[in-house]
Amino acid sequence: MGTPLLGAQPLRVGPLTRRRLERQARSDAEAMRAQNAATAADQHGEPAAGGEPTPTVAALQARANAYAHREEQRFLARSRRDLAEQRELAQALSADLDAYDDRLDALPPAERDASRIAEGEGVAYQELRRLRRRIAVRNARAEQLSARIHARFTAARLRATRHFDRADEKIAVYWGAYLRALSPRPVPVRAPALRRADSLAGRETSVDRWHPAGSAQPFGSDSALSTAPLSTAPQAAESRSTDAQP
């Protein structure tokens, strides 16, 4: 009757780990009582004020940080080539857009219509169409690389976050046994929470931190072009060039 249903949330902290944590909690509580007795503390039998971490909690924190660091290094090792190619593509796309603007500026204003560029004859129109095709191909490749990098990053971050969650559950088991071993205590002390800042599991962590400044967007510094569809990117460049005319 006590067996949980298959659809219920499984117990992540197994019985062996639970017993080990409870045994460690009793040992830490005994060491704390001995320390309080030796130093004649004002509050006998109470853990450190504010729920300061014990050596066991500090070890769990360090282990979680190390795991998140390993996941970050693994992500970088697997994505280093893609990140380098993405940086090169961002530079190439920026150069192609500048070249597209220059060739568009060389045309008379009446000859800059999109249909004219698509069907016009001559070296200038051929070069514009060639640049347009190259921009579309490179943009598609940049989006493919970005999707692959974000998929790897998301998987690594989920693994690190799951490890922190497991460590939180271990601390909850440990801290309950720790407080019971310290009883009676005058006031309850909240279990210390793991710090996830500056790690792969931190809330502010983003894959953009590994992009150098100015290359996170596939079209360089022009963010409007980076969010435009592939077929409209050259037209956006055309409108940017037209708007710059006096």
Side-chain angles (χ1 to χ4, degrees), residues 10-210:
L11 182 65
R12 295 183 178 180
V13 179
L16 294 178
T17 302
R18 179 180 290 271
R19 284 197 292 269
R20 178 177 59 81
L21 290 171
E22 291 174 348
R23 185 168 58 252
Q24 186 63 44
R26 290 192 294 269
S27 176
D28 291 345
E30 181 64 29
M32 177 61 67
R33 283 196 300 268
Q35 179 182 354
N36 288 341
T39 57
D42 294 335
Q43 296 178 345
H44 262 324
E46 185 179 351
E52 294 182 1
T54 65
T56 301
V57 175
L60 289 172
Q61 173 75 70
R63 194 174 305 160
N65 290 343
Y67 186 90
H69 181 70
R70 287 197 300 271
E71 287 294 335
E72 178 179 325
Q73 295 303 312
R74 185 181 304 173
F75 158 74
L76 290 176
R78 293 177 177 177
S79 303
R80 185 173 290 109
R81 183 177 300 178
D82 290 342
L83 287 168
E85 183 179 353
Q86 195 177 53
R87 285 192 292 267
E88 294 176 0
L89 279 174
Q91 296 174 1
L93 280 168
S94 180
D96 286 342
L97 286 171
D98 290 340
Y100 191 92
D101 283 342
D102 293 341
R103 284 162 176 75
L104 202 63
D105 291 339
L107 294 175
E111 300 294 328
R112 298 176 186 175
D113 185 75
S115 60
R116 177 62 176 165
I117 294 175
E119 301 175 359
E121 297 181 357
V123 176
Y125 294 111
Q126 292 176 0
E127 184 66 16
L128 285 172
R129 288 193 292 269
R130 184 183 66 82
L131 286 171
R132 175 176 294 194
R133 289 191 298 268
R134 191 162 68 186
I135 289 171
V137 170
R138 286 178 170 171
N139 188 39
R141 177 59 179 168
E143 291 182 351
Q144 180 185 11
L145 290 173
S146 179
R148 190 157 62 192
I149 291 169
H150 276 80
R152 289 177 183 151
F153 172 80
T154 301
R157 184 174 183 180
L158 286 175
R159 285 193 295 267
T161 302
R162 185 169 52 195
H163 188 84
F164 271 95
D165 292 341
R166 288 177 61 97
D168 276 332
E169 294 184 8
K170 291 179 180 179
I171 289 178
V173 172
Y174 165 84
W175 199 255
Y178 181 70
L179 293 182
R180 287 193 300 271
L182 282 175
S183 60
R185 57 189 185 280
V187 292
V189 180
R190 182 176 300 178
L194 291 179
R195 300 183 303 275
R196 307 191 185 196
D198 300 328
S199 72
L200 199 61
R203 292 185 176 181
E204 302 300 327
T205 306
S206 171
V207 71
D208 293 336
R209 63 182 288 188
W210 287 283

